[in-house]
Amino acid sequence: MAGTISGALLGYVVVAPVVAVTVHILAARRLRRAGRLFSPQAHLVKLLLLLNLPLLGGVLFLGGVEGRSASEMLLMSIFAFIVFNGTGYAYFHVFNMSETARRIRMLLSIRDHGSLHSGELAAEYSPEHMVRARLARLIEMGQVVRDADGRYRIKSHFLVWAAGLVRFFRNILRLPSSERPGPAPVPRR
């Protein structure tokens, strides 16, 4: 077995993302019906991270059945981790686009109503509405909190760190900034 590619592992890493999508669909529907699905994106990320545990268990089981050495099982685990999380990452972006992209939401709104005037769409997508919706989503995800005086502040630095990472890679690739000037930062106390 040493030095051969595991056909069972290849099959496993093809099936694992399909199982992950199926589990996501079933769990999201159940949580939505129970009124406990606050952030679909955060739920998906947590689910994909959690599914790495049975993925690893399955890889170790396959390695044991095939009589693989510890170093081969480590390489099998790394391979499965990269493939599973890579497809999970792609799925997250497709799912996120379907949840948040304005064009997709406009198309679905037009479909649901049969037809709409641009003014009806503009009312639904006013800047105030979009800011309120995004702030509500950030609160639901535990990223910001609203103080008693109505000001928002960072609660978790996870997305701030992720945004910094994206900015870093945009700078390395010399991509134009998509940021628009906002209010001047307030010094921390």
Side-chain angles (χ1 to χ4, degrees):
M1 286 287 173
T4 62
I5 297 174
S6 171
L9 177 65
L10 292 176
Y12 188 62
V13 297
V14 167
V15 171
V18 175
V19 170
V21 170
T22 304
V23 168
H24 174 238
I25 291 168
L26 295 174
R29 285 182 180 179
R30 185 174 181 143
L31 289 171
R32 188 168 280 131
R33 268 191 247 122
R36 295 180 52 217
L37 186 62
F38 300 112
S39 170
Q41 293 87 350
H43 170 258
L44 176 57
V45 169
K46 290 175 187 174
L47 180 67
L48 289 172
L49 291 173
L50 182 66
L51 289 175
N52 275 281
L53 296 174
L55 176 79
L56 176 62
V59 170
L60 296 177
F61 174 77
L62 287 174
V65 168
E66 293 180 348
R68 301 287 179 155
S69 69
S71 62
E72 288 176 313
M73 285 198 272
L74 175 64
L75 292 173
M76 290 171 69
S77 298
I78 292 170
F79 172 75
F81 178 82
I82 290 170
V83 172
F84 179 77
N85 288 287
T87 55
Y89 180 77
Y91 173 63
F92 171 80
H93 283 289
V94 170
F95 174 74
N96 189 44
M97 183 180 71
S98 72
E99 286 285 312
T100 61
R102 287 185 295 269
R103 289 173 293 215
I104 300 294
R105 293 176 83 70
M106 282 183 180
L107 285 170
L108 294 175
S109 187
I110 292 168
R111 182 200 65 191
D112 292 346
H113 291 90
S115 65
L116 290 171
H117 288 285
S118 63
E120 294 170 301
L121 288 168
E124 190 173 334
Y125 293 96
S126 69
E128 295 83 16
H129 178 267
M130 285 192 267
V131 169
R132 280 195 309 271
R134 284 178 172 86
L135 284 171
R137 203 171 302 126
L138 287 169
I139 289 169
E140 289 171 358
M141 293 174 66
Q143 297 299 307
V144 298
V145 292
R146 186 173 180 193
D147 290 335
D149 65 352
R151 297 182 67 85
Y152 295 90
R153 64 181 173 80
I154 302 293
K155 180 179 178 184
S156 168
H157 288 274
F158 177 75
L159 287 180
V160 174
W161 179 84
L165 189 62
V166 168
R167 181 185 292 166
F168 173 75
F169 283 113
R170 289 184 72 85
N171 287 339
I172 287 175
L173 298 172
R174 296 192 174 165
L175 296 173
S177 175
S178 61
E179 298 173 10
R180 295 185 185 109
V186 176
R188 293 185 184 188
R189 295 176 216 173

